């Protein structure tokens, strides 16, 4: 996830662009840059690191111009270097562009453009857009952008300027956000409303497949086919602070609601055009997969729960034995590994000290290590033999939400990849599961839109001091995660437990009115879990069940039901966890807790 800004008007664009980038820094901050039109030339300044580095360079060079674009980067293709930082330019430095999104067919386009003599200077997918515009440019920037976007596959919000036009920005959008702020003879472009809010509260939201020509005289919007689109002005009422969270009260809630997008973005680079699983950065070919005798997963906290889900997917679909270890234990328990072991280290930050130590331990014993991470350039990307990225975008809330579902979806697809290589599932079965995976974003959307009952239950139980979270099979990691979320943001003691194990001890904790959250979605152990519900109910517990749509019988037995859409049993974990995130969130809010920065916790734990 990156942030883009633009300005055209009668003021110096530089402070406006820098101010906008500051507001967008939450979207990524491994490098930043701007391009400003000045005296018939475009001056480009780019720096690696957060905005402070660009600020220093700008203070030194003092660029000036009434037209400019800017970018803050969160690397997806290509390391965080100066060459890969935006804006990118064409061969003649006549066209500059900034881009947020991922161009999926960039390799093919790049090859083609290089064949026509275009010289590339970065490793990014974005640079192809500058060259494509150059290829189509015959004096009409708008048309050139229109032809260029026609060739692009993937997601993009982009802004382009040309040294031939001192007062023109052309923007286009598909699957990445873009807004235009409307001022008096001046216009602002940004990925997000907060970046323009100190200048104007009147906004055009560009929709998918729309593009615009922006000059100080006005904004002209069309679709990609060139048909004019009349836009309504959105009058923003949010304060600047609320706007940074897109109107949500907290980053955590915003991130919970971003989960359909995070899943979609994570899936995007893991299937090729024919729908076949693709893991390019992983350095593990089909031959290596066939030799595997065992998989060891290492992770901490929420990422460990993603590992528990992955175990079931890999064992069930690819028939490889999987061991899941807590990273801080793994390195001290003399694990048995060899060159036929695949170690998967799951860490959204890529910086967790215990997990990195586990990676070193696994490598020292000859295992091949794959890192699953959300942060390009993080330490794990350098230490693991191969990397699989989730594309959830930066997660600001300390409690992991959208990074978890992204890890799960990446691991599901990876498990299918292993199954195909080992021939343990038929093509038909793989296609059917793939279809179900592709339905997940819409299904999560459905859960998010029906949160009324979750709020009600949170209100009722907010003052309880003890909670039980129970699950069996694929419901167990979900129960563990539900308990962890509740503990960390609402400071309520919550015990996550295997439902069948209750009778061996923890059932003694149950008293009248102790709430038990039970994951009771459709599964092969459904009848068993109904039995467990009866056991705890008989001892006075209140029951909140997470169940599959259509299971109306359960309503007769329990106090509250959080319904989720039906899917393949193993995939149900990704859906069942969502109502429990919302439940923890509303519990914490009702108790007046700071959900984004819970006490004693940190977003990346870089100490042992
Ligand atoms: C819980 C949470 C933590 C992390 C854990 C591992 O909401 O965020 O439990 O999951 O610290 O972090 P990563 O995935 O960065 O290794």
């Amino acid at each position: 996830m990156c942030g883009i800004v633009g300005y055209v008007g009668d003021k110096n664009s530089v402070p406006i662009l820098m101010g906008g980038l500051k507001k967008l820094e939450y979207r990524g901050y491994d490098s930043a840059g701007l391009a400003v039109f000045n005296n018939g030339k475009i001056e480009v300044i780019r720096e690696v690191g957060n905005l402070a580095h660009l600020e220093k360079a700008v203070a030194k060079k003092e660029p000036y111009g009434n037209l400019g674009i800017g970018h803050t980067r969160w690397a997806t293709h290509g390391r965080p270097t100066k060459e890969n930082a935006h804006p990118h330019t064409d061969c003649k430095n006549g066209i500059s562009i900034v881009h947020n999104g991922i161009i999926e067919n960039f390799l093919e386009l790049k090859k083609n453009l290089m064949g026509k003599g275009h010289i590339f200077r970065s490793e990014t997918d974005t640079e192809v857009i500058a060259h494509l515009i150059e290829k189509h440019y015959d004096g009409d920037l708008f048309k050139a952008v229109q032809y260029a976007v026609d060739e692009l596959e993937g997601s993009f919000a982009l802004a382009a300027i040309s040294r031939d036009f001192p007062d023109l920005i052309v923007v286009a959008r598909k699957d990445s956000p873009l807004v235009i702020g409307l001022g008096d003879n001046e216009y602002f472009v940004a990925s997000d409303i907060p970046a323009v809010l100190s200048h104007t509260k009147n906004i055009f939201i560009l929709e998918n497949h729309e593009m615009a020509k922006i000059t100080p005289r006005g904004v002209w919007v069309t679709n990609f086919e060139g048909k004019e689109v009349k836009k309504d002005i959105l009058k923003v009422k949010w304060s600047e602070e609320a706007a940074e969270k897109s109107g949500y009260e907290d980053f955590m809630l915003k991130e919970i609601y971003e989960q359909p997008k995070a899943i979609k973005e994570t899936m995007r680079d893991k299937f090729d055009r024919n729908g076949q699983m693709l893991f390019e950065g992983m350095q593990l070919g089909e031959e290596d997969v066939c030799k595997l005798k065992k998989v060891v997963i290492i992770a901490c906290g929420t990422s460990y729960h993603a590992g528990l889900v992955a175990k079931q997917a890999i064992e069930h679909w690819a028939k490889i034995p999987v061991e899941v270890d807590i990273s801080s234990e793994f390195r001290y328990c003399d694990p048995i590994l060899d060159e036929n072991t695949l170690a998967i280290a799951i860490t959204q930050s890529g910086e967790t000290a215990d997990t990195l130590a586990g990676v070193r331990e696994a490598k020292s014993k000859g295992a091949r290590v794959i890192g699953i991470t959300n942060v390009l350039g993080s330490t794990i990307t350098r230490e693991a033999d191969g990397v699989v990225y989730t594309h959830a975008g930066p997660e600001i809330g300390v409690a992991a939400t959208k990074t978890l579902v992204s890890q799960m979806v990446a691991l599901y697809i990876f498990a299918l990849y292993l199954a195909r290589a080992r021939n343990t599932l038929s093509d038909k079965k793989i296609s059917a599961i793939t279809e179900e995976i592709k339905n997940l974003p819409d299904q999560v959307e459905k859960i998010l839109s029906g949160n009324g009952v979750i709020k009600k239950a949170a209100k009722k139980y907010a003052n309880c001091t003890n909670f039980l979270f129970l699950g069996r099979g694929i419901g167990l990691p979900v129960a563990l995660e539900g308990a962890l979320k509740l503990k960390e943001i609402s400071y309520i003691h919550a015990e996550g437990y295997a439902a069948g194990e209750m009778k061996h001890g923890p059932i003694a904790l149950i008293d009248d009115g102790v709430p038990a959250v039970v994951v009771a979605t459709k599964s092969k152990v459904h009848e068993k879990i109904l039995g467990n519900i009866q056991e705890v109910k008989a001892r006075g517990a209140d029951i909140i069940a997470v169940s599959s749509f259509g299971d109306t019988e359960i309503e007769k037995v329990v106090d509250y039901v959080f319904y989720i859409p039906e899917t393949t049993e193993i995939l149900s974990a990704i859906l069942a966890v969502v109502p429990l995130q919302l439940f923890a969130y509303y519990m914490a809010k009702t108790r007046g807790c700071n959900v984004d920065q819970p006490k004693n916790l940190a977003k990346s734990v870089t100490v042992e």
Side-chain angles (χ1 to χ4, degrees):
M1 198 160 84
C2 305
I4 70 170
V5 290
Y7 173 80
V8 58
D10 54 9
K11 300 194 181 101
N12 181 11
S13 61
V14 176
I16 296 170
L17 297 174
M18 291 303 290
L21 289 178
K22 191 91 208 135
K23 293 282 180 208
L24 295 179
E25 215 180 359
Y26 77 90
R27 299 174 68 89
Y29 39 77
D30 58 41
S31 51
L34 40 81
V36 177
F37 182 95
N38 190 6
N39 276 333
K41 272 208 218 120
I42 297 178
E43 184 173 2
V44 177
I45 304 177
R46 304 183 292 182
E47 288 297 327
V48 176
N50 64 14
L51 262 194
H53 294 84
L54 182 65
E55 267 162 13
K56 255 193 216 150
V58 164
K60 208 158 142 200
K61 295 189 180 162
E62 295 184 345
Y64 183 96
N66 305 127
L67 169 75
I69 52 178
H71 190 270
T72 175
R73 180 165 188 248
W74 192 72
T76 56
H77 289 70
R79 291 156 300 135
T81 60
K82 206 161 177 167
E83 294 70 39
N84 290 337
H86 299 216
H88 287 286
T89 48
D90 66 332
C91 298
K92 301 184 210 91
N93 295 328
I95 291 162
S96 266
I97 68 141
V98 287
H99 163 230
N100 166 36
I102 295 174
I103 304 305
E104 287 163 9
N105 58 338
F106 88 99
L107 278 177
E108 193 182 316
L109 291 170
K110 188 168 176 176
K111 206 164 132 205
N112 199 288
L113 286 159
M114 284 171 79
K116 289 189 161 64
H118 288 259
I119 312 281
F120 280 77
R121 289 167 286 211
S122 78
E123 304 160 323
T124 65
D125 52 339
T126 298
E127 195 184 344
V128 296
I129 309 174
H131 292 280
L132 268 185
I133 297 174
E134 178 183 26
K135 181 181 95 173
H136 291 295
Y137 185 68
D138 63 0
D140 184 337
L141 183 63
F142 187 81
K143 274 254 161 319
V145 174
Q146 188 182 16
Y147 290 137
V149 296
D150 198 43
E151 293 191 50
L152 299 178
E153 284 172 21
S155 59
F156 51 84
L158 65 92
I161 60 174
S162 152
R163 70 172 167 219
D164 297 340
F165 297 96
D167 60 0
L168 171 66
I169 306 179
V170 177
V171 295
R173 174 211 159 139
K174 181 183 163 254
D175 289 341
S176 293
L178 195 71
V179 303
I180 302 169
L182 315 174
D184 276 339
N185 302 320
E186 59 177 358
Y187 294 90
F188 310 84
V189 172
S191 296
D192 217 338
I193 293 174
V196 302
L197 221 50
S198 58
H199 306 288
T200 177
K201 297 216 163 190
N202 294 335
I203 309 282
F204 280 166
I205 306 270
L206 221 60
E207 301 294 343
N208 273 341
H209 299 105
E210 287 181 354
M211 53 189 295
K213 189 187 263 190
I214 308 170
T215 74
R217 297 167 294 286
V219 179
W220 184 63
V221 182
T222 75
N223 63 17
F224 285 178
E225 284 72 48
K227 188 164 179 281
E228 188 168 355
V229 178
K230 287 274 170 248
K231 301 295 289 180
D232 291 328
I233 297 178
L234 172 78
K235 291 202 176 289
V236 180
K237 296 197 179 79
W238 305 330
S239 67
E240 273 189 58
E241 200 216 326
E244 272 176 40
K245 297 169 188 155
S246 308
Y248 289 99
E249 258 182 70
D250 318 272
F251 281 110
M252 182 182 175
L253 191 61
K254 175 174 176 266
E255 286 156 5
I256 289 175
Y257 275 81
E258 280 171 352
Q259 292 185 113
K261 180 156 189 265
I263 297 173
K264 250 190 235 167
E265 289 296 324
T266 299
M267 278 194 291
R268 211 185 266 282
D269 65 351
K270 295 177 182 61
F271 292 108
D272 68 12
R273 279 214 193 128
N274 307 317
Q276 295 297 326
M277 285 76 66
L278 187 73
F279 283 90
E280 277 179 333
M282 200 182 53
Q283 315 290 338
L284 186 78
E286 300 205 345
E287 225 174 84
D288 303 314
V289 170
C290 291
K291 286 191 202 142
L292 292 178
K293 295 270 181 293
K294 162 168 135 174
V295 171
V296 172
I297 297 179
I298 47 176
C300 305
T302 292
S303 297
Y304 170 73
H305 299 150
L308 294 177
V309 171
K311 170 183 166 73
Q312 300 200 29
I314 295 171
E315 289 188 339
H316 197 71
W317 295 336
K319 309 288 178 216
I320 313 176
V322 182
E323 199 181 291
V324 192
D325 285 315
I326 292 171
S327 310
S328 53
E329 291 296 318
F330 175 77
R331 58 193 289 212
Y332 297 114
C333 63
D334 201 10
I336 301 165
L337 317 163
D338 60 24
E339 61 282 4
N340 293 323
T341 307
L342 174 68
I344 304 178
I346 310 172
T347 164
Q348 65 80 22
S349 62
E351 301 293 349
T352 299
D354 287 324
T355 303
L356 292 173
V359 166
R360 288 167 206 140
E361 172 76 17
K363 278 178 89 174
S364 74
K365 295 203 158 157
R368 187 185 283 262
V369 182
I370 289 175
I372 308 233
T373 186
N374 197 42
V375 182
L376 203 122
S378 56
T379 306
I380 193 148
T381 65
R382 296 190 297 278
E383 299 217 4
D385 298 311
V387 185
V388 173
Y389 286 105
T390 54
H391 299 293
E395 192 172 63
I396 312 288
V398 163
T401 53
K402 64 175 179 172
T403 51
L404 167 68
V405 295
S406 307
Q407 288 166 347
M408 283 188 187
V409 80
L411 286 157
Y412 283 142
I413 302 169
F414 181 57
L416 287 182
Y417 173 84
L418 297 178
R420 189 191 57 196
R422 294 168 73 90
N423 217 1
T424 48
L425 279 184
S426 67
D427 287 348
K428 199 167 155 214
K429 185 79 191 156
I430 290 176
S431 303
I433 300 170
T434 302
E435 274 320 297
E436 301 242 38
I437 290 177
K438 291 187 174 160
N439 287 335
L440 290 171
D442 287 345
Q443 292 178 320
V444 172
E445 202 85 66
K446 207 164 171 186
I447 298 168
L448 294 172
S449 62
N451 63 8
V453 59
I454 303 175
K455 278 187 191 168
K456 253 192 219 159
K459 212 166 184 178
K460 167 145 187 212
Y461 297 110
N463 290 324
C464 292
T465 46
N466 282 303
F467 260 82
L468 277 168
F469 282 74
L470 304 175
R472 300 183 81 118
I474 200 67
L476 177 56
V478 176
L480 296 178
E481 175 62 10
L484 176 62
K485 283 284 98 80
L486 189 68
K487 275 185 266 209
E488 66 179 328
I489 61 168
S490 73
Y491 318 138
I492 296 173
H493 171 243
E495 197 88 47
Y497 231 79
E501 188 68 6
M502 279 289 292
K503 56 186 175 292
H504 300 289
I507 204 159
L509 289 171
I510 294 179
D511 262 331
D512 271 352
V514 167
V517 180
V518 187
V519 184
T521 47
K522 215 168 167 197
S523 73
K524 55 181 176 293
V525 288
H526 189 62
E527 290 304 316
K528 303 273 173 214
I529 201 96
L530 291 181
N532 297 130
I533 288 178
Q534 294 298 350
E535 276 165 18
V536 285
K537 198 177 163 62
R539 286 156 181 87
D542 272 18
I543 314 280
I544 300 168
V546 180
S547 192
S548 311
F549 277 125
D551 184 2
T552 46
E553 279 304 298
I554 204 157
E555 285 175 22
K556 298 179 189 151
V557 189
V558 307
D559 298 274
Y560 290 92
V561 191
F562 304 160
Y563 281 114
I564 64 162
E566 221 180 283
T567 182
T568 299
E569 185 172 337
I570 285 180
L571 300 185
S572 69
I574 201 169
L575 299 179
V577 83
V578 176
L580 298 188
Q581 295 168 339
L582 282 170
F583 181 62
Y585 172 84
Y586 288 119
M587 287 284 287
K589 291 299 282 184
T590 313
R591 292 164 66 85
C593 304
N594 178 344
V595 294
D596 284 340
Q597 291 168 325
K599 67 172 191 236
N600 305 338
L601 297 178
K603 190 70 196 159
S604 32
V605 185
T606 53
V607 289
E608 192 184 343

